[in-house]
Amino acid sequence: PLETNTQRRRHRRITSSYQRSEDTMVACSKIVLLATGAAALVAPPASHMRQATALAASKQEPHGGKLVNLFGDGLKAADCDTTLQMTERQSCDVELLCNGGFSPLDGFMDEETYKSVVGGMKLPSGLMFSLPVVFDTNDEKLGPGSKILLKQGDLDVATFEVSDKYVPDKPLECLKCYGTSSLEHPGTQMVAMERGKYYLGGKLTGLNKPVREFPCETPEEVRARLPDDVDIVAFQCRNPVHRAHYELFTRALDAPNVGADGVVLVHPTCGPTQPGDIPGTVRYKTYEVLKEETANPRTFWAYLPYSMHMAGPREAIHHMMIRKNFGCTHFIIGRDMAGCKSSIDEEDFYGAYDAQDFALENGPKMGMQAVPSLNLVYTDEEGYVTAEEAKEKELSALKLSGTKFRKMLRGGEDIPEWFAFKSVVEVLRQNA
């Protein structure tokens, strides 16, 4: 059974596979993952601070070798025998399956694929895949042979030819994918309490893109917009971009494994996340005003219809794979990426650098390079510097957590300009 109390929880460091030594913790902030599978310390002489790579948006191979496109010939809406309204999470998965964001998948996972991904973090073919992509239901009548029309309101989005129906091992799925089976984790709570009793596997045929308040380009469309023959550094976020984030992803272009003409693709997820997060439509508005305010020619923006799992290390790898399909060559692994806190005591489920460790081990297997996320702090004396530099120089560092920021917003308190862009704060207040 799923755990239901604090005593039987995780604990944060969760399983031995997510633990790190002190030595690794110190080194991790300086680690770069190489596509060849080797690891190097990011501390070369200045003459080597610009190393062009062979990968580029026009050359980056999709995961599995081919960018999937499920729009076109296949099961027609008129041939379906069942109609289902998708949940918001399901619509995100359907869109990424149909447009190739989840390449090489061509539909929802059957039981064999599900078990292989949950237990071994790979498809039956052996190709790495870190999180299951599944369609849940409580309908006893649906099963192999069912032909389902998936809808968003009145819009026909996709057809679904069911080839498999199975009862998932949810406690094992949670333990393997989230590192815990505690219901204090928002991801395990979603699996246990939101998802239906059964999972359905089978092939999809895309009919129409779901309609959203924010535009979601396909991987093919994003690739066409990105410059050729330069490194593309992806930045994933699920919250509004504040000044530290902006400093982080613009400085990432100076990383030694990023070519001189590299650009950043800011690629926020705008689908469901976790309770308490700012809604995706509001986040989208903050990105648009920031894009206009900064007008940075080396920063590209696109929006991802993805529902967050808050699965920590495994989800970091999942995000790397998705951005590879969108043409990116590099990926910024942030501190406590895709992490979350207990709904009871607000303690972190994952260590601050667990995702970076996991990326160090598994990122090279996908042909992706990881760019270390700088631990930046704001100081009265010198503005944004690394935490190490602030400590060495004994500078006065100011701190404001995301949780505290949201409380200040709700309370109508002034937000310091060193923390957030005025345009972003204005949007957040207008949509509070």
Side-chain angles (χ1 to χ4, degrees):
L2 294 173
E3 298 176 29
T4 57
N5 56 46
T6 302
Q7 287 72 27
R8 297 175 61 194
R9 179 168 83 238
R10 75 226 140 212
H11 149 295
R12 297 156 307 267
R13 304 7 163 201
I14 275 183
T15 62
S16 58
S17 63
Y18 288 166
Q19 290 179 347
R20 58 184 292 114
S21 67
E22 286 189 359
D23 290 341
T24 305
M25 187 177 295
V26 172
C28 188
S29 64
K30 298 181 179 180
I31 291 260
V32 173
L33 306 184
L34 303 180
T36 58
L41 290 179
V42 183
S47 61
H48 295 290
M49 288 301 288
R50 288 289 189 181
Q51 300 176 17
T53 67
L55 299 176
S58 60
K59 299 177 181 178
Q60 174 63 292
E61 185 178 81
H63 198 47
K66 180 181 179 181
L67 191 62
V68 170
N69 182 352
L70 301 182
F71 291 95
D73 295 335
L75 181 66
K76 307 299 183 184
D79 297 326
C80 292
D81 51 39
T82 303
T83 298
L84 289 180
Q85 287 288 341
M86 297 180 295
T87 66
E88 191 174 1
R89 286 186 181 274
Q90 289 171 341
S91 75
C92 289
D93 287 344
V94 168
E95 185 167 358
L96 287 175
L97 284 167
C98 290
N99 70 21
F102 283 150
S103 295
L105 299 184
D106 63 1
F108 287 104
M109 294 179 176
D110 58 21
E111 186 172 19
E112 179 190 8
T113 306
Y114 164 78
K115 288 182 175 179
S116 180
V117 169
V118 168
M121 210 174 77
K122 60 184 179 181
L123 300 174
S125 66
L127 186 70
M128 180 181 292
F129 210 100
S130 58
L131 291 176
V133 179
V134 296
F135 190 93
D136 65 290
T137 183
N138 284 315
D139 196 323
E140 299 286 348
K141 297 178 181 179
L142 296 178
S146 294
K147 299 177 180 179
I148 305 173
L149 176 61
L150 300 175
K151 296 178 71 73
Q152 181 196 47
D154 294 329
L155 180 67
D156 296 345
V157 175
T159 59
F160 181 17
E161 299 176 73
V162 180
S163 59
D164 197 10
K165 181 179 186 178
Y166 54 100
V167 177
D169 187 341
K170 290 186 177 183
L172 181 64
E173 176 185 344
C174 292
L175 188 61
K176 290 288 188 178
C177 296
Y178 300 92
T180 180
S181 56
S182 168
L183 289 175
E184 295 171 32
H185 188 295
T188 63
Q189 188 176 101
M190 179 272 293
V191 172
M193 303 176 70
E194 292 181 24
R195 283 186 180 168
K197 176 180 178 181
Y198 303 105
Y199 289 172
L200 303 178
K203 182 175 174 53
L204 290 178
T205 298
L207 302 176
N208 294 287
K209 290 173 60 175
V211 176
R212 307 185 188 282
E213 293 188 40
F214 45 90
C216 292
E217 295 171 291
T218 68
E220 185 176 0
E221 290 169 339
V222 172
R223 282 171 173 259
R225 207 160 47 81
L226 295 172
D228 292 337
D229 301 319
V230 301
D231 292 332
I232 311 295
V233 183
F235 177 72
Q236 142 71 23
C237 57
R238 73 174 204 274
N239 290 308
V241 171
H242 298 310
R243 290 191 180 272
H245 301 124
Y246 187 80
E247 291 290 330
L248 188 155
F249 66 68
T250 53
R251 294 187 189 197
L253 294 176
D254 295 323
N257 64 328
V258 177
D261 297 320
V263 299
V264 171
L265 174 65
V266 183
H267 205 200
T269 58
C270 292
T273 55
Q274 63 177 335
D277 276 358
I278 295 168
T281 53
V282 177
R283 298 198 304 271
Y284 162 67
K285 293 176 183 177
T286 69
Y287 302 140
E288 286 295 292
V289 296
L290 182 59
K291 179 169 62 174
E292 182 177 347
E293 179 178 343
T294 55
N296 188 334
R298 296 185 69 187
T299 302
F300 291 74
W301 296 75
Y303 304 107
L304 188 72
Y306 176 87
S307 60
M308 290 291 296
H309 295 261
M310 315 312 299
R314 276 223 190 183
E315 190 157 24
I317 296 298
H318 203 54
H319 281 297
M320 289 184 78
M321 178 207 71
I322 293 170
R323 278 25 180 251
K324 179 183 179 183
N325 285 328
F326 276 83
C328 297
T329 57
H330 297 64
F331 187 75
I332 298 172
I333 299 288
R335 183 180 182 276
D336 193 25
M337 183 173 182
C340 59
K341 297 179 183 295
S342 163
S343 59
I344 302 299
D345 58 20
E346 295 192 347
E347 291 192 50
D348 293 326
F349 269 96
Y350 310 108
Y353 300 97
D354 285 351
Q356 288 189 5
D357 278 349
F358 214 53
L360 171 62
E361 179 184 354
N362 294 288
K365 301 173 187 177
M366 291 190 295
M368 286 286 285
Q369 297 194 48
V371 177
S373 171
L374 297 174
N375 184 14
L376 298 176
V377 296
Y378 182 83
T379 65
D380 286 327
E381 299 87 349
E382 297 186 18
Y384 277 101
V385 299
T386 64
E388 293 81 4
E389 183 178 355
K391 184 177 181 180
E392 289 174 3
K393 295 182 178 180
E394 297 184 345
L395 303 177
S396 302
L398 305 179
K399 294 183 179 181
L400 180 61
S401 70
T403 301
K404 174 64 175 175
F405 167 68
R406 288 189 288 271
K407 289 181 180 179
M408 291 176 70
L409 268 181
R410 289 192 293 267
E413 301 177 54
D414 290 335
I415 307 298
E417 290 189 37
W418 64 263
F419 181 83
F421 293 89
K422 275 189 173 182
S423 59
V424 172
V425 172
E426 184 177 348
V427 170
L428 293 174
R429 291 202 188 282
Q430 290 172 352
N431 294 271

